[in-house]
Amino acid sequence: LTLIRCRHSDLFDQKTFSSSTPQPANPAAVSVGALPPRVYVGHSIYKGKAALTVTPRPPEFAPLDSGAFKISREGYVLLQFAPAIASRQYDWNRKQVFSLSVVEMGSVISLGTRESCEFFHDPLKGKSDEGKVRKVLKLEPLPDGSGHFFNLSVQNKIVNIDENIYIPVTKAELAVLSSIFNFIMPYPLGWHTFANSVNPEYSSGVNNANPRYGGDYEWNR
Amino acid sequence: LTLIRCRHSDLFDQKTFSSSTPQPANPAAVSVGALPPRVYVGHSIYKGKAALTVTPRPPEFAPLDSGAFKISREGYVLLQFAPAIASRQYDWNRKQVFSLSVVEMGSVISLGTRESCEFFHDPLKGKSDEGKVRKVLKLEPLPDGSGHFFNLSVQNKIVNIDENIYIPVTKAELAVLSSIFNFIMPYPLGWHTFANSVNPEYSSGVNNANPRYGGDYEWNR
Amino acid sequence: LTLIRCRHSDLFDQKTFSSSTPQPANPAAVSVGALPPRVYVGHSIYKGKAALTVTPRPPEFAPLDSGAFKISREGYVLLQFAPAIASRQYDWNRKQVFSLSVVEMGSVISLGTRESCEFFHDPLKGKSDEGKVRKVLKLEPLPDGSGHFFNLSVQNKIVNIDENIYIPVTKAELAVLSSIFNFIMPYPLGWHTFANSVNPEYSSGVNNANPRYGGDYEWNR
Amino acid sequence: LTLIRCRHSDLFDQKTFSSSTPQPANPAAVSVGALPPRVYVGHSIYKGKAALTVTPRPPEFAPLDSGAFKISREGYVLLQFAPAIASRQYDWNRKQVFSLSVVEMGSVISLGTRESCEFFHDPLKGKSDEGKVRKVLKLEPLPDGSGHFFNLSVQNKIVNIDENIYIPVTKAELAVLSSIFNFIMPYPLGWHTFANSVNPEYSSGVNNANPRYGGDYEWNR
C-alpha cells in the first residue's frame, strides 16, 4: 500500500503566492467586438526551491485564398520555471521557459511511474546562432516513486547563462497536468474547429455535392 | 476473475432519497439577461451508514484594469457527507463538508486499486483560530479490493465536534468520480476559457501584431 | 504478443444493416424555435447471433420556484439487444432492452480485461408487480481474452418470456463504448450545465454578493 | 527505467515540411452564411522514410420526413501515408490512404505496448471489382518497446500497384493519436448532437408530454 499525503497548506500557498507571480503578459484571447472577455489562465505548482507555471498557447491560423484557414503553427504549452529566493518567494526575473509541443505533451501523458523522459530544444535552430542556446527538460522518477522531478537546464552562451532549476512534481500534480494536457490537446492542433463544424447544417448532402470531397476518399460506395 | 455485483435498488434509492437531500443552496450559475437557466447539479452515493454528495464549484474571476480577467481563486469540488439515521434516511443537519482542490482531484483520479491517500485541511489556517479545526479525508482500499472507503474525520475545538463519517465507494462509483473530475478539471482552473478563445478570428495575425505576445516566447523564428 | 484482427466487412455490415434497425423512436432533442435540428444518434454492434444498439438518454429537469432547475431523474444509456434470425438480419420485434445507469457505465469503463460484472434490474421494483420481471446483464471475459460477452437475460412472468441474448464485444468495441460513455457521463448528470456556466460574466463578484453562496463553504478567507 | 529522447528538430521539421504537404483538399467545414470559417485540420508525423498525416472526416447526416436527421454514414479518420524521396521530402503523389473507422480507432486507443493489431479493407467490397484492391494496415510493437510500426500495404490489381509504406510511431506520438481519437470519437458517431441537446429548455416536461418517449423505456415509474 502506498500512502500519499497532501497538506492543505499547499493550497493555501497558491493563493498567498498568486500576487507574487509574474504579471500576466499574454491574454488567452483578445476581446474584439462581441467576443467573450479575455481571461488569463495558467496552473502553478509551488515548492520549496522552485515554482512551475503552465500556460496554454494557441495555434496560429493562416488565411487561404479560398477564405478558409489552415494551422500555420501548432499551439503549445509554455512551462515557466522560477527559482525560490526565500520561503514562499520566487524570483520570476530569473525564470527560464520551455515550450512543450503537442507530442511532448503526449510524452508527459504516457509517462509511466518509473519512466524518465528528456526533451532537447535549441530555440535558435536554423539561425546563425544555432547551438548557442541549449535547453534540456528532464522528467525523472522520484526515488520513492511518489512522482517525478522536472529538471530544466538552460545553457545560453550568448548571455553566458548556465541555469538549472529542479522542481518535484507529485503523482497527483502530474495527474492534473495529464488531465489538462489531454483536455487542451485538440486546441493547439485546431481539431476543435473540426468538432464545431460537425452538424447536419454543414454536412447534410454537402459531401456529395462538393467535388472537392471524395478525391482521396477510400470508399466510393 | 473478479465479479462485481450491482443491484438495481441502488439506483432506485437515489430517486427515493432525492427529496430528502439538502435543499440546493448554490446554483451552478446565476441567470442574468439572456444567460441560460440556472441548474443545480451534484452526484450522490447512498449507502447504509452514510451518504456522499459531490458538487462542482466555479472559480472566481477578478477583473484587471485592461478589461481582461484572471482567476482569483480556483474552483473545487465540494464533498458533503451525511450520516444515516434510519434505513435510507440521512441527517443532513449533521453533515460535514470537505472542499476537494484540483490537485486533490488529481490524487483521486490517479489512485491505484490498492493505494491509499489522505488529505489534511485546516479551514482556519492563517487566521487567529488556526489549528482549532482539523479535517482529514482518507481514501483507503476496501479489504476485498472492490473499492475504497472514504473516511472524513472532523475535529472542531470551537464548537466541540468530533465527527467521523465512513462511506464505502465501489470501483464503479470511483470510476464515475474519476470521469466527472476529469471532465470538470479545466473549469475550476479556467482553462476552458482558453479553449473557447482558440479560433481564426481571435488568433490570425494577432499574435504577431500584439507586442505583448512573444515576450517570454521561446522560439522567435 | 496479442494479435487483433478486424475485417472491413464488419464496417460494411453496419451500413447494410442500418436500414433494418428499428425506426428511431426518440429524438435526441426536440426542435423548438431556433434550437438546432433533432438528430437521432446511436451506436450499433452487429454480430452473427445478435445485434446491440446503444443510445444515450437525457436526464429530466424539474423547475424550481426560483426559476432554476434541478435534475429530477438522471439520464442513462439504453442498450437494445436483438437476436439474429438469418445472416445479417435481426428480429427487432423480439428485442430486449436494458437501461444502463451512470454508475453502471462506470463499471463498464473500469472493467479489467479479465474481470466480470453483473447488473440486476427489476423494472417494477416498488410496484405491485415487483419481482415479476427480472433482468440480468452479465459482462464476462471471452476465453481468449479478446473481449467480453454481453449476456442479457430477461425473465418476465407477466407475459411469460424467458429470453437470453448473447453478443461478443471485442476489446476495440469495448474501448469505443468506454470512450463514448466517458464522453457522455456529465450529460445524464447535468454537470455540463455547470461547465457552461463557468465564466467571468456569471462568476465575477457574484459569489461574494450572493448570500446564498458560502453557507456550506469550507474556507471563508 | 526507460528513457525517451525527443529532439527539437522533430518539431522544427514539422514546420519546414508543412509547405511540402499536399494541398488541403477537404475543408473541415463549409462556410455558409453566419457559420464559422472553414479550417483545414490534420496532424502529421514526419520520419526518415515516410510521413503520416491524420485528418478527421465528418459523418453524413440524412434528413428524415419529420425534419429530424439521422447519421447515414459514420465519420472516420483518414490516414495518408507518403514515402520519402529525399531527406525531408515526401512524395505525396505516391501516397496511400486508409480510412480508420470508429471501432478501428478503438483498437488503436486500447493497443497495449506489446500488442499488435491488423486491419483489412477492401474498398470495392460489394462491387463488381471486389477483391481486386486489398489494403492491410498493421500496427506492430517496435523491438525496443519504444512505440509501434505503422505498416500500410496496398495491393491494387486494377492499376497494378503493390506498395508498402512503413513509419515508426513513438509511444508519445501514439499517446497524441489516442488523445485526439478519444476526443474526436463522439463526432463521427454524432453523439455530440445529443450532448448539445441536453438542457432544461429541451428536456423539461417534454419527455412526459411526448408519446414517442417511453415506448421502449425500461422503467415506467
Side-chain angles (χ1 to χ4, degrees), chain B residues 1-2 8 28-29 36 38 40 73 76 99 127 171 179 192, chain C residues 69 114-116 120 182 197-198 202 212-213 217-218 220:
Chain B
L1 293 195
T2 307
H8 185 214
R38 285 180 294 174
Y40 293 97
R73 179 194 190 119
Y76 57 99
S99 296
K127 303 230 164 132
K171 200 179 138 198
S179 180
H192 66 295
Chain C
F69 290 84
R114 295 283 171 189
E115 286 177 349
S116 298
F120 300 86
N182 207 42
S197 76
V198 180
Y202 278 67
R212 276 182 169 175
Y213 280 91
Y217 193 59
E218 186 183 349
N220 286 311

PDB file of all heavy atoms in Angstrom, chain B residues 1-2 8 28-29 36 38 40 73 76 99 127 171 179 192, chain C residues 69 114-116 120 182 197-198 202 212-213 217-218 220:
ATOM      1  N   LEU B   1     -10.559 -14.172 -11.704  1.00  0.00           N
ATOM      2  CA  LEU B   1     -11.686 -13.363 -12.161  1.00  0.00           C
ATOM      3  C   LEU B   1     -12.354 -12.666 -10.977  1.00  0.00           C
ATOM      4  O   LEU B   1     -12.514 -13.243  -9.911  1.00  0.00           O
ATOM      5  CB  LEU B   1     -12.724 -14.246 -12.874  1.00  0.00           C
ATOM      6  CG  LEU B   1     -12.241 -14.849 -14.194  1.00  0.00           C
ATOM      7  CD1 LEU B   1     -13.401 -15.385 -14.991  1.00  0.00           C
ATOM      8  CD2 LEU B   1     -11.498 -13.813 -15.017  1.00  0.00           C
ATOM      9  N   THR B   2     -12.712 -11.446 -11.190  1.00  0.00           N
ATOM     10  CA  THR B   2     -13.390 -10.666 -10.164  1.00  0.00           C
ATOM     11  C   THR B   2     -14.831 -10.485 -10.604  1.00  0.00           C
ATOM     12  O   THR B   2     -15.096 -10.257 -11.776  1.00  0.00           O
ATOM     13  CB  THR B   2     -12.746  -9.275 -10.055  1.00  0.00           C
ATOM     14  OG1 THR B   2     -11.356  -9.450  -9.863  1.00  0.00           O
ATOM     15  CG2 THR B   2     -13.354  -8.498  -8.907  1.00  0.00           C
ATOM     16  N   HIS B   8     -30.114  -3.145  -8.721  1.00  0.00           N
ATOM     17  CA  HIS B   8     -30.876  -2.019  -9.230  1.00  0.00           C
ATOM     18  C   HIS B   8     -31.402  -1.145  -8.108  1.00  0.00           C
ATOM     19  O   HIS B   8     -31.605   0.045  -8.264  1.00  0.00           O
ATOM     20  CB  HIS B   8     -32.049  -2.527 -10.086  1.00  0.00           C
ATOM     21  CG  HIS B   8     -32.802  -1.425 -10.722  1.00  0.00           C
ATOM     22  ND1 HIS B   8     -34.136  -1.462 -10.931  1.00  0.00           N
ATOM     23  CD2 HIS B   8     -32.374  -0.238 -11.180  1.00  0.00           C
ATOM     24  CE1 HIS B   8     -34.523  -0.342 -11.489  1.00  0.00           C
ATOM     25  NE2 HIS B   8     -33.480   0.409 -11.663  1.00  0.00           N
ATOM     26  N   ALA B  28     -25.568  26.512  -9.892  1.00  0.00           N
ATOM     27  CA  ALA B  28     -24.327  26.387 -10.645  1.00  0.00           C
ATOM     28  C   ALA B  28     -24.081  27.663 -11.428  1.00  0.00           C
ATOM     29  O   ALA B  28     -22.956  27.989 -11.758  1.00  0.00           O
ATOM     30  CB  ALA B  28     -24.405  25.206 -11.593  1.00  0.00           C
ATOM     31  N   ALA B  29     -25.105  28.377 -11.700  1.00  0.00           N
ATOM     32  CA  ALA B  29     -24.952  29.593 -12.481  1.00  0.00           C
ATOM     33  C   ALA B  29     -26.064  30.562 -12.068  1.00  0.00           C
ATOM     34  O   ALA B  29     -27.139  30.145 -11.655  1.00  0.00           O
ATOM     35  CB  ALA B  29     -25.079  29.290 -13.957  1.00  0.00           C
ATOM     36  N   PRO B  36     -28.254  31.238 -19.921  1.00  0.00           N
ATOM     37  CA  PRO B  36     -29.038  30.006 -19.788  1.00  0.00           C
ATOM     38  C   PRO B  36     -29.559  29.870 -18.358  1.00  0.00           C
ATOM     39  O   PRO B  36     -29.022  30.463 -17.429  1.00  0.00           O
ATOM     40  CB  PRO B  36     -28.026  28.911 -20.112  1.00  0.00           C
ATOM     41  CG  PRO B  36     -26.679  29.522 -19.951  1.00  0.00           C
ATOM     42  CD  PRO B  36     -26.849  30.985 -20.232  1.00  0.00           C
ATOM     43  N   ARG B  38     -30.402  28.646 -14.610  1.00  0.00           N
ATOM     44  CA  ARG B  38     -29.621  28.013 -13.558  1.00  0.00           C
ATOM     45  C   ARG B  38     -30.002  26.552 -13.419  1.00  0.00           C
ATOM     46  O   ARG B  38     -31.192  26.213 -13.478  1.00  0.00           O
ATOM     47  CB  ARG B  38     -29.915  28.683 -12.216  1.00  0.00           C
ATOM     48  CG  ARG B  38     -29.279  30.018 -12.047  1.00  0.00           C
ATOM     49  CD  ARG B  38     -29.644  30.590 -10.693  1.00  0.00           C
ATOM     50  NE  ARG B  38     -31.073  30.880 -10.593  1.00  0.00           N
ATOM     51  CZ  ARG B  38     -31.664  31.285  -9.485  1.00  0.00           C
ATOM     52  NH1 ARG B  38     -30.974  31.417  -8.377  1.00  0.00           N
ATOM     53  NH2 ARG B  38     -32.960  31.553  -9.475  1.00  0.00           N
ATOM     54  N   TYR B  40     -29.088  23.275 -10.747  1.00  0.00           N
ATOM     55  CA  TYR B  40     -28.368  22.742  -9.591  1.00  0.00           C
ATOM     56  C   TYR B  40     -27.901  21.345  -9.923  1.00  0.00           C
ATOM     57  O   TYR B  40     -28.727  20.481 -10.230  1.00  0.00           O
ATOM     58  CB  TYR B  40     -29.288  22.674  -8.370  1.00  0.00           C
ATOM     59  CG  TYR B  40     -29.718  24.011  -7.861  1.00  0.00           C
ATOM     60  CD1 TYR B  40     -30.945  24.559  -8.230  1.00  0.00           C
ATOM     61  CD2 TYR B  40     -28.887  24.745  -7.017  1.00  0.00           C
ATOM     62  CE1 TYR B  40     -31.344  25.803  -7.764  1.00  0.00           C
ATOM     63  CE2 TYR B  40     -29.283  25.997  -6.547  1.00  0.00           C
ATOM     64  CZ  TYR B  40     -30.511  26.515  -6.922  1.00  0.00           C
ATOM     65  OH  TYR B  40     -30.892  27.744  -6.463  1.00  0.00           O
ATOM     66  N   ARG B  73      -9.345  32.814  -7.664  1.00  0.00           N
ATOM     67  CA  ARG B  73      -9.455  31.674  -6.754  1.00  0.00           C
ATOM     68  C   ARG B  73      -9.924  30.476  -7.563  1.00  0.00           C
ATOM     69  O   ARG B  73     -10.929  30.558  -8.273  1.00  0.00           O
ATOM     70  CB  ARG B  73     -10.503  32.007  -5.698  1.00  0.00           C
ATOM     71  CG  ARG B  73     -10.723  30.898  -4.726  1.00  0.00           C
ATOM     72  CD  ARG B  73     -11.993  31.169  -3.947  1.00  0.00           C
ATOM     73  NE  ARG B  73     -12.084  30.238  -2.850  1.00  0.00           N
ATOM     74  CZ  ARG B  73     -12.119  30.581  -1.585  1.00  0.00           C
ATOM     75  NH1 ARG B  73     -12.113  31.836  -1.245  1.00  0.00           N
ATOM     76  NH2 ARG B  73     -12.186  29.665  -0.643  1.00  0.00           N
ATOM     77  N   TYR B  76     -13.388  24.222  -7.157  1.00  0.00           N
ATOM     78  CA  TYR B  76     -13.119  22.976  -6.442  1.00  0.00           C
ATOM     79  C   TYR B  76     -14.380  22.107  -6.511  1.00  0.00           C
ATOM     80  O   TYR B  76     -15.357  22.466  -7.176  1.00  0.00           O
ATOM     81  CB  TYR B  76     -12.711  23.257  -4.995  1.00  0.00           C
ATOM     82  CG  TYR B  76     -13.728  24.049  -4.222  1.00  0.00           C
ATOM     83  CD1 TYR B  76     -14.628  23.421  -3.360  1.00  0.00           C
ATOM     84  CD2 TYR B  76     -13.814  25.432  -4.382  1.00  0.00           C
ATOM     85  CE1 TYR B  76     -15.575  24.146  -2.671  1.00  0.00           C
ATOM     86  CE2 TYR B  76     -14.760  26.172  -3.702  1.00  0.00           C
ATOM     87  CZ  TYR B  76     -15.650  25.518  -2.849  1.00  0.00           C
ATOM     88  OH  TYR B  76     -16.597  26.233  -2.176  1.00  0.00           O
ATOM     89  N   SER B  99     -13.723  20.419   0.962  1.00  0.00           N
ATOM     90  CA  SER B  99     -13.514  21.019  -0.367  1.00  0.00           C
ATOM     91  C   SER B  99     -12.323  20.368  -1.038  1.00  0.00           C
ATOM     92  O   SER B  99     -11.195  20.508  -0.563  1.00  0.00           O
ATOM     93  CB  SER B  99     -13.237  22.519  -0.226  1.00  0.00           C
ATOM     94  OG  SER B  99     -14.363  23.163   0.305  1.00  0.00           O
ATOM     95  N   LYS B 127      -5.534  32.176  10.140  1.00  0.00           N
ATOM     96  CA  LYS B 127      -6.406  33.029  10.956  1.00  0.00           C
ATOM     97  C   LYS B 127      -6.043  32.828  12.424  1.00  0.00           C
ATOM     98  O   LYS B 127      -5.245  31.946  12.779  1.00  0.00           O
ATOM     99  CB  LYS B 127      -7.875  32.614  10.737  1.00  0.00           C
ATOM    100  CG  LYS B 127      -8.274  32.673   9.261  1.00  0.00           C
ATOM    101  CD  LYS B 127      -9.551  33.421   9.039  1.00  0.00           C
ATOM    102  CE  LYS B 127      -9.689  33.795   7.566  1.00  0.00           C
ATOM    103  NZ  LYS B 127     -11.016  33.459   7.057  1.00  0.00           N
ATOM    104  N   LYS B 171     -15.570   0.401  -6.910  1.00  0.00           N
ATOM    105  CA  LYS B 171     -14.695   0.688  -8.049  1.00  0.00           C
ATOM    106  C   LYS B 171     -15.474   1.427  -9.149  1.00  0.00           C
ATOM    107  O   LYS B 171     -14.959   2.363  -9.763  1.00  0.00           O
ATOM    108  CB  LYS B 171     -14.177  -0.654  -8.578  1.00  0.00           C
ATOM    109  CG  LYS B 171     -12.931  -0.609  -9.413  1.00  0.00           C
ATOM    110  CD  LYS B 171     -12.549  -2.041  -9.820  1.00  0.00           C
ATOM    111  CE  LYS B 171     -12.114  -2.098 -11.262  1.00  0.00           C
ATOM    112  NZ  LYS B 171     -12.150  -3.463 -11.829  1.00  0.00           N
ATOM    113  N   SER B 179     -14.215  10.055 -13.743  1.00  0.00           N
ATOM    114  CA  SER B 179     -14.651  10.554 -15.050  1.00  0.00           C
ATOM    115  C   SER B 179     -15.165  11.990 -14.928  1.00  0.00           C
ATOM    116  O   SER B 179     -14.814  12.852 -15.734  1.00  0.00           O
ATOM    117  CB  SER B 179     -15.742   9.634 -15.610  1.00  0.00           C
ATOM    118  OG  SER B 179     -16.180  10.084 -16.869  1.00  0.00           O
ATOM    119  N   HIS B 192     -10.968  26.260 -19.755  1.00  0.00           N
ATOM    120  CA  HIS B 192     -11.981  26.202 -20.816  1.00  0.00           C
ATOM    121  C   HIS B 192     -12.123  27.572 -21.490  1.00  0.00           C
ATOM    122  O   HIS B 192     -12.524  27.658 -22.632  1.00  0.00           O
ATOM    123  CB  HIS B 192     -13.313  25.750 -20.240  1.00  0.00           C
ATOM    124  CG  HIS B 192     -13.887  26.740 -19.277  1.00  0.00           C
ATOM    125  ND1 HIS B 192     -13.293  27.037 -18.082  1.00  0.00           N
ATOM    126  CD2 HIS B 192     -14.975  27.529 -19.342  1.00  0.00           C
ATOM    127  CE1 HIS B 192     -14.003  27.956 -17.454  1.00  0.00           C
ATOM    128  NE2 HIS B 192     -15.028  28.269 -18.195  1.00  0.00           N
TER     129      HIS B 192
ATOM    130  N   PHE C  69     -33.415  25.173 -12.146  1.00  0.00           N
ATOM    131  CA  PHE C  69     -33.823  23.792 -12.375  1.00  0.00           C
ATOM    132  C   PHE C  69     -32.985  22.851 -11.525  1.00  0.00           C
ATOM    133  O   PHE C  69     -31.881  23.185 -11.127  1.00  0.00           O
ATOM    134  CB  PHE C  69     -33.622  23.420 -13.854  1.00  0.00           C
ATOM    135  CG  PHE C  69     -34.573  24.088 -14.790  1.00  0.00           C
ATOM    136  CD1 PHE C  69     -34.320  25.363 -15.267  1.00  0.00           C
ATOM    137  CD2 PHE C  69     -35.733  23.436 -15.198  1.00  0.00           C
ATOM    138  CE1 PHE C  69     -35.209  25.991 -16.127  1.00  0.00           C
ATOM    139  CE2 PHE C  69     -36.617  24.058 -16.069  1.00  0.00           C
ATOM    140  CZ  PHE C  69     -36.360  25.342 -16.532  1.00  0.00           C
ATOM    141  N   ARG C 114      -9.810  -9.165 -17.599  1.00  0.00           N
ATOM    142  CA  ARG C 114     -10.150 -10.498 -17.090  1.00  0.00           C
ATOM    143  C   ARG C 114     -11.267 -10.445 -16.057  1.00  0.00           C
ATOM    144  O   ARG C 114     -11.508 -11.400 -15.344  1.00  0.00           O
ATOM    145  CB  ARG C 114      -8.907 -11.148 -16.456  1.00  0.00           C
ATOM    146  CG  ARG C 114      -7.790 -11.430 -17.448  1.00  0.00           C
ATOM    147  CD  ARG C 114      -8.115 -12.665 -18.268  1.00  0.00           C
ATOM    148  NE  ARG C 114      -7.172 -12.872 -19.382  1.00  0.00           N
ATOM    149  CZ  ARG C 114      -7.358 -13.777 -20.326  1.00  0.00           C
ATOM    150  NH1 ARG C 114      -8.424 -14.551 -20.307  1.00  0.00           N
ATOM    151  NH2 ARG C 114      -6.498 -13.902 -21.306  1.00  0.00           N
ATOM    152  N   GLU C 115     -11.937  -9.304 -15.935  1.00  0.00           N
ATOM    153  CA  GLU C 115     -12.976  -9.147 -14.936  1.00  0.00           C
ATOM    154  C   GLU C 115     -14.368  -9.353 -15.517  1.00  0.00           C
ATOM    155  O   GLU C 115     -14.612  -9.105 -16.705  1.00  0.00           O
ATOM    156  CB  GLU C 115     -12.903  -7.755 -14.311  1.00  0.00           C
ATOM    157  CG  GLU C 115     -11.744  -7.578 -13.336  1.00  0.00           C
ATOM    158  CD  GLU C 115     -11.657  -6.164 -12.803  1.00  0.00           C
ATOM    159  OE1 GLU C 115     -12.348  -5.270 -13.335  1.00  0.00           O
ATOM    160  OE2 GLU C 115     -10.879  -5.938 -11.857  1.00  0.00           O
ATOM    161  N   SER C 116     -15.279  -9.766 -14.631  1.00  0.00           N
ATOM    162  CA  SER C 116     -16.693  -9.884 -14.975  1.00  0.00           C
ATOM    163  C   SER C 116     -17.461  -8.810 -14.230  1.00  0.00           C
ATOM    164  O   SER C 116     -16.995  -8.280 -13.221  1.00  0.00           O
ATOM    165  CB  SER C 116     -17.256 -11.221 -14.497  1.00  0.00           C
ATOM    166  OG  SER C 116     -16.610 -12.290 -15.118  1.00  0.00           O
ATOM    167  N   PHE C 120     -28.297  -6.302 -11.942  1.00  0.00           N
ATOM    168  CA  PHE C 120     -29.650  -6.836 -11.756  1.00  0.00           C
ATOM    169  C   PHE C 120     -30.651  -5.689 -11.779  1.00  0.00           C
ATOM    170  O   PHE C 120     -30.506  -4.735 -11.010  1.00  0.00           O
ATOM    171  CB  PHE C 120     -29.758  -7.546 -10.400  1.00  0.00           C
ATOM    172  CG  PHE C 120     -28.811  -8.688 -10.231  1.00  0.00           C
ATOM    173  CD1 PHE C 120     -27.521  -8.473  -9.773  1.00  0.00           C
ATOM    174  CD2 PHE C 120     -29.206  -9.984 -10.536  1.00  0.00           C
ATOM    175  CE1 PHE C 120     -26.635  -9.534  -9.627  1.00  0.00           C
ATOM    176  CE2 PHE C 120     -28.327 -11.045 -10.386  1.00  0.00           C
ATOM    177  CZ  PHE C 120     -27.035 -10.821  -9.928  1.00  0.00           C
ATOM    178  N   ASN C 182     -17.575   7.655 -21.354  1.00  0.00           N
ATOM    179  CA  ASN C 182     -16.787   8.675 -20.663  1.00  0.00           C
ATOM    180  C   ASN C 182     -17.149  10.073 -21.170  1.00  0.00           C
ATOM    181  O   ASN C 182     -17.274  11.019 -20.393  1.00  0.00           O
ATOM    182  CB  ASN C 182     -15.301   8.399 -20.920  1.00  0.00           C
ATOM    183  CG  ASN C 182     -14.420   8.907 -19.821  1.00  0.00           C
ATOM    184  OD1 ASN C 182     -14.730   8.772 -18.637  1.00  0.00           O
ATOM    185  ND2 ASN C 182     -13.322   9.524 -20.206  1.00  0.00           N
ATOM    186  N   SER C 197     -21.683  27.246 -17.337  1.00  0.00           N
ATOM    187  CA  SER C 197     -21.957  28.444 -16.539  1.00  0.00           C
ATOM    188  C   SER C 197     -20.696  29.092 -15.988  1.00  0.00           C
ATOM    189  O   SER C 197     -20.773  30.166 -15.380  1.00  0.00           O
ATOM    190  CB  SER C 197     -22.882  28.083 -15.378  1.00  0.00           C
ATOM    191  OG  SER C 197     -22.159  27.405 -14.365  1.00  0.00           O
ATOM    192  N   VAL C 198     -19.540  28.448 -16.159  1.00  0.00           N
ATOM    193  CA  VAL C 198     -18.313  28.992 -15.564  1.00  0.00           C
ATOM    194  C   VAL C 198     -17.694  30.019 -16.488  1.00  0.00           C
ATOM    195  O   VAL C 198     -17.041  29.660 -17.470  1.00  0.00           O
ATOM    196  CB  VAL C 198     -17.296  27.865 -15.261  1.00  0.00           C
ATOM    197  CG1 VAL C 198     -16.030  28.467 -14.654  1.00  0.00           C
ATOM    198  CG2 VAL C 198     -17.893  26.834 -14.335  1.00  0.00           C
ATOM    199  N   TYR C 202     -20.692  35.344 -15.342  1.00  0.00           N
ATOM    200  CA  TYR C 202     -21.522  34.742 -14.301  1.00  0.00           C
ATOM    201  C   TYR C 202     -20.894  34.916 -12.927  1.00  0.00           C
ATOM    202  O   TYR C 202     -21.586  35.166 -11.951  1.00  0.00           O
ATOM    203  CB  TYR C 202     -21.637  33.223 -14.510  1.00  0.00           C
ATOM    204  CG  TYR C 202     -22.659  32.790 -15.504  1.00  0.00           C
ATOM    205  CD1 TYR C 202     -22.518  33.082 -16.843  1.00  0.00           C
ATOM    206  CD2 TYR C 202     -23.766  32.050 -15.106  1.00  0.00           C
ATOM    207  CE1 TYR C 202     -23.451  32.640 -17.765  1.00  0.00           C
ATOM    208  CE2 TYR C 202     -24.696  31.608 -16.020  1.00  0.00           C
ATOM    209  CZ  TYR C 202     -24.528  31.906 -17.353  1.00  0.00           C
ATOM    210  OH  TYR C 202     -25.445  31.459 -18.254  1.00  0.00           O
ATOM    211  N   ARG C 212     -26.483  33.451  -0.661  1.00  0.00           N
ATOM    212  CA  ARG C 212     -26.698  32.016  -0.806  1.00  0.00           C
ATOM    213  C   ARG C 212     -25.384  31.253  -0.836  1.00  0.00           C
ATOM    214  O   ARG C 212     -25.284  30.142  -0.393  1.00  0.00           O
ATOM    215  CB  ARG C 212     -27.399  31.735  -2.128  1.00  0.00           C
ATOM    216  CG  ARG C 212     -28.892  31.884  -2.052  1.00  0.00           C
ATOM    217  CD  ARG C 212     -29.421  31.519  -3.405  1.00  0.00           C
ATOM    218  NE  ARG C 212     -30.849  31.369  -3.398  1.00  0.00           N
ATOM    219  CZ  ARG C 212     -31.555  31.145  -4.481  1.00  0.00           C
ATOM    220  NH1 ARG C 212     -30.949  31.056  -5.644  1.00  0.00           N
ATOM    221  NH2 ARG C 212     -32.847  31.016  -4.417  1.00  0.00           N
ATOM    222  N   TYR C 213     -24.369  31.856  -1.447  1.00  0.00           N
ATOM    223  CA  TYR C 213     -23.066  31.208  -1.521  1.00  0.00           C
ATOM    224  C   TYR C 213     -22.401  31.285  -0.154  1.00  0.00           C
ATOM    225  O   TYR C 213     -22.587  32.233   0.595  1.00  0.00           O
ATOM    226  CB  TYR C 213     -22.157  31.911  -2.527  1.00  0.00           C
ATOM    227  CG  TYR C 213     -22.427  31.523  -3.940  1.00  0.00           C
ATOM    228  CD1 TYR C 213     -23.345  32.248  -4.705  1.00  0.00           C
ATOM    229  CD2 TYR C 213     -21.787  30.433  -4.524  1.00  0.00           C
ATOM    230  CE1 TYR C 213     -23.596  31.895  -6.016  1.00  0.00           C
ATOM    231  CE2 TYR C 213     -22.027  30.093  -5.840  1.00  0.00           C
ATOM    232  CZ  TYR C 213     -22.930  30.814  -6.584  1.00  0.00           C
ATOM    233  OH  TYR C 213     -23.167  30.482  -7.873  1.00  0.00           O
ATOM    234  N   TYR C 217     -19.710  26.592   2.760  1.00  0.00           N
ATOM    235  CA  TYR C 217     -18.426  26.822   2.128  1.00  0.00           C
ATOM    236  C   TYR C 217     -17.338  26.602   3.160  1.00  0.00           C
ATOM    237  O   TYR C 217     -17.385  27.193   4.250  1.00  0.00           O
ATOM    238  CB  TYR C 217     -18.392  28.257   1.619  1.00  0.00           C
ATOM    239  CG  TYR C 217     -17.279  28.562   0.683  1.00  0.00           C
ATOM    240  CD1 TYR C 217     -17.143  27.868  -0.505  1.00  0.00           C
ATOM    241  CD2 TYR C 217     -16.360  29.559   0.990  1.00  0.00           C
ATOM    242  CE1 TYR C 217     -16.112  28.154  -1.365  1.00  0.00           C
ATOM    243  CE2 TYR C 217     -15.334  29.850   0.134  1.00  0.00           C
ATOM    244  CZ  TYR C 217     -15.202  29.131  -1.048  1.00  0.00           C
ATOM    245  OH  TYR C 217     -14.166  29.420  -1.895  1.00  0.00           O
ATOM    246  N   GLU C 218     -16.385  25.749   2.835  1.00  0.00           N
ATOM    247  CA  GLU C 218     -15.427  25.354   3.864  1.00  0.00           C
ATOM    248  C   GLU C 218     -14.484  26.468   4.285  1.00  0.00           C
ATOM    249  O   GLU C 218     -14.193  26.637   5.462  1.00  0.00           O
ATOM    250  CB  GLU C 218     -14.645  24.143   3.367  1.00  0.00           C
ATOM    251  CG  GLU C 218     -13.724  23.550   4.410  1.00  0.00           C
ATOM    252  CD  GLU C 218     -12.930  22.393   3.832  1.00  0.00           C
ATOM    253  OE1 GLU C 218     -13.252  21.936   2.718  1.00  0.00           O
ATOM    254  OE2 GLU C 218     -11.988  21.958   4.485  1.00  0.00           O
ATOM    255  N   ASN C 220     -13.670  30.329   4.542  1.00  0.00           N
ATOM    256  CA  ASN C 220     -14.167  31.700   4.451  1.00  0.00           C
ATOM    257  C   ASN C 220     -13.040  32.694   4.617  1.00  0.00           C
ATOM    258  O   ASN C 220     -13.004  33.469   5.569  1.00  0.00           O
ATOM    259  CB  ASN C 220     -15.249  31.942   5.501  1.00  0.00           C
ATOM    260  CG  ASN C 220     -16.532  31.249   5.104  1.00  0.00           C
ATOM    261  OD1 ASN C 220     -16.985  31.393   3.974  1.00  0.00           O
ATOM    262  ND2 ASN C 220     -17.103  30.488   6.022  1.00  0.00           N
TER     263      ASN C 220
END
